[in-house]
Amino acid sequence: MNEIAKIVPTTAKDWASDQEVRWCPGCGDYAVLKAVQRTMPDLGTARENTVFVSGIGCSSRFPYYMASYGFHTIHGRACAVATGVKLANPALDVWIITGDGDALSIGGNHTMHLLRRNLDCQLLLFNNEIYGLTKGQYSPTSRIGTRGPSTPFGSVDRPATPCSFALGSGARFIARAVDVHKALPDVLKAAHAYKGASFVEIFQNCVVYNDDVFAPFTAKEFAADRQLWLKAGEKMLFANGTRGQSFDRDKMVLTIVDVGDESILTHDPKNRTLAQLLIEMPATAGFPVALGVIYEDPATTFESAVLEQNEAVSKGKKVDLQALVAKGQSWQVEKEPRVE
């Protein structure tokens, strides 16, 4: 393992590369990039000890814009590359930047295995519910009825819910945020503080192909009533503190009650059942969207288990490359080749 470089204080400008940022004007990716660049100095990590890994998609240009190490890999394979990076040097701070198509379609299997293994990294999934880079085809998270080049009459697929996918895959840290919300840096800090695979879904607006798809809960006039920002140990309140989440034990579902009701729930991020209910809250009937850290229950990380196993297996053994090469079915040819 390489030694961690001495940490030198940085600013947001130090984390911005000299590359021209090229996204569509007004794209939510700009807000996420700025949030990450502003957050990095507060994490106490060194640029030379940080790696951003991406796949293919609009969001996957991200590594070019960070003044750190980075890999712009191939479609759906960011998690596989990131796993290799972390196993090769566990001291590195690894961030995965991906989109709903990159992570949940062609890369769905890699995302699943990274989460169940609990590799120590931060996975930021930019969810704009569309394929933006390839000009507006519907994605795994697109809603029924979404029209695009590949679904001119509207999509008939039931959309995937990223956080449900993560929970079902065995993720131990799941959070949600909004691209332009001031709380995004706090969510990023919480994800970084967690030792393991941190899954963060970021609702990101695509101004060209899916503009304002999240407006019913992100627009200024709706935000207070439709956003439930979760904090561990605090009551689940929204609508400027006038309403809260309760639980109907007969129907086994979440319900909405007015403030003052003694049944209002207190957020426990270690409660997996509660996390599932919060993730799957209906988008109708006045329910808000759960944001912030939804689930956090630490477990052994993949790379630490691999290192521990390697140390145990190699303990007391002598390094002998020749013996390793000759092990098993091998032979040595001593007879000179026949010359015709």
Side-chain angles (χ1 to χ4, degrees):
M1 183 189 301
N2 294 343
E3 291 185 5
I4 299 178
K6 183 178 180 181
I7 305 301
V8 177
T10 59
T11 65
K13 182 179 285 190
D14 292 325
W15 287 90
S17 75
D18 60 357
Q19 300 298 298
E20 178 187 1
V21 182
R22 301 186 64 184
W23 285 311
C24 299
C27 176
D29 289 357
Y30 286 99
V32 182
L33 175 64
K34 287 298 182 183
V36 171
Q37 290 173 341
R38 290 197 308 268
T39 302
M40 298 306 291
D42 296 333
L43 301 180
T45 58
R47 291 180 298 167
E48 60 271 25
N49 200 52
T50 303
V51 184
F52 283 84
V53 183
S54 67
I56 295 296
C58 295
S59 64
S60 293
R61 295 177 178 178
F62 209 93
Y64 296 111
Y65 309 141
M66 297 298 297
S68 64
Y69 289 108
F71 288 93
H72 187 183
T73 68
I74 57 179
H75 206 189
R77 305 302 185 259
C79 290
V81 174
T83 300
V85 170
K86 191 67 178 182
L87 289 177
N89 187 352
L92 294 176
D93 187 15
V94 177
W95 296 72
I96 300 173
I97 307 297
T98 186
D100 45 302
D102 188 53
L104 299 179
S105 184
I106 188 171
N109 58 330
H110 292 290
T111 304
M112 176 185 71
H113 295 308
L114 179 136
L115 294 175
R116 73 173 178 82
R117 286 169 173 158
N118 199 34
L119 186 82
D120 186 21
C121 64
Q122 294 74 234
L123 190 157
L124 309 186
L125 188 150
F126 293 35
N127 183 13
N128 55 18
E129 296 189 3
I130 206 77
Y131 277 106
L133 188 65
T134 49
K135 307 301 181 284
Q137 296 89 341
Y138 84 112
S139 81
T141 59
S142 295
R143 304 174 194 191
I144 293 175
T146 298
R147 293 177 179 269
S150 56
T151 53
F153 305 112
S155 169
V156 297
D157 282 5
R158 291 181 59 196
T161 303
C163 288
S164 286
F165 172 86
L167 190 66
S169 297
R172 310 298 295 240
F173 181 102
I174 298 172
R176 276 183 181 152
V178 178
D179 52 8
V180 296
H181 200 282
K182 63 181 180 180
L184 176 55
D186 292 331
V187 174
L188 297 175
K189 291 175 186 177
H192 186 267
Y194 173 75
K195 188 70 173 176
S198 302
F199 181 89
V200 182
E201 177 188 10
I202 302 174
F203 295 111
Q204 177 258 318
N205 190 43
C206 176
V207 294
V208 176
Y209 298 109
N210 214 15
D211 193 24
D212 287 338
V213 69
F214 302 119
F217 70 90
T218 61
K220 187 176 181 180
E221 61 269 32
F222 306 127
D225 290 333
R226 296 300 312 282
Q227 294 183 15
L228 170 63
W229 284 92
L230 301 164
K231 291 185 179 180
E234 295 188 10
K235 295 289 186 180
M236 296 184 189
L237 300 175
F238 63 102
N240 295 316
T242 62
R243 313 194 79 187
Q245 295 291 153
S246 183
F247 182 68
D248 186 327
R249 295 181 180 274
D250 294 328
K251 297 181 180 180
M252 300 294 286
V253 295
L254 292 177
T255 60
I256 300 173
V257 296
D258 292 329
V259 70
D261 192 308
E262 295 183 357
S263 68
I264 293 178
L265 298 171
T266 297
H267 184 44
D268 176 11
K270 286 190 175 183
N271 188 325
R272 192 176 187 279
T273 300
L274 179 59
Q276 184 68 63
L277 291 171
L278 289 167
I279 291 168
E280 297 290 351
M281 275 198 300
T284 57
F287 280 91
V289 174
L291 299 164
V293 179
I294 299 173
Y295 182 60
E296 181 177 5
D297 190 12
T300 302
T301 63
F302 180 60
E303 72 282 359
S304 65
V306 171
L307 285 175
E308 184 179 347
Q309 183 183 67
N310 288 346
E311 290 176 3
V313 171
S314 61
K315 188 175 182 179
K317 293 185 178 180
K318 181 181 178 181
V319 178
D320 189 339
L321 180 59
Q322 185 57 44
L324 181 63
V325 171
K327 183 180 180 181
Q329 295 183 347
S330 62
W331 61 91
Q332 184 172 345
V333 177
E334 300 195 10
K335 185 178 180 180
E336 292 293 328
R338 186 175 65 182
V339 179
E340 296 293 340

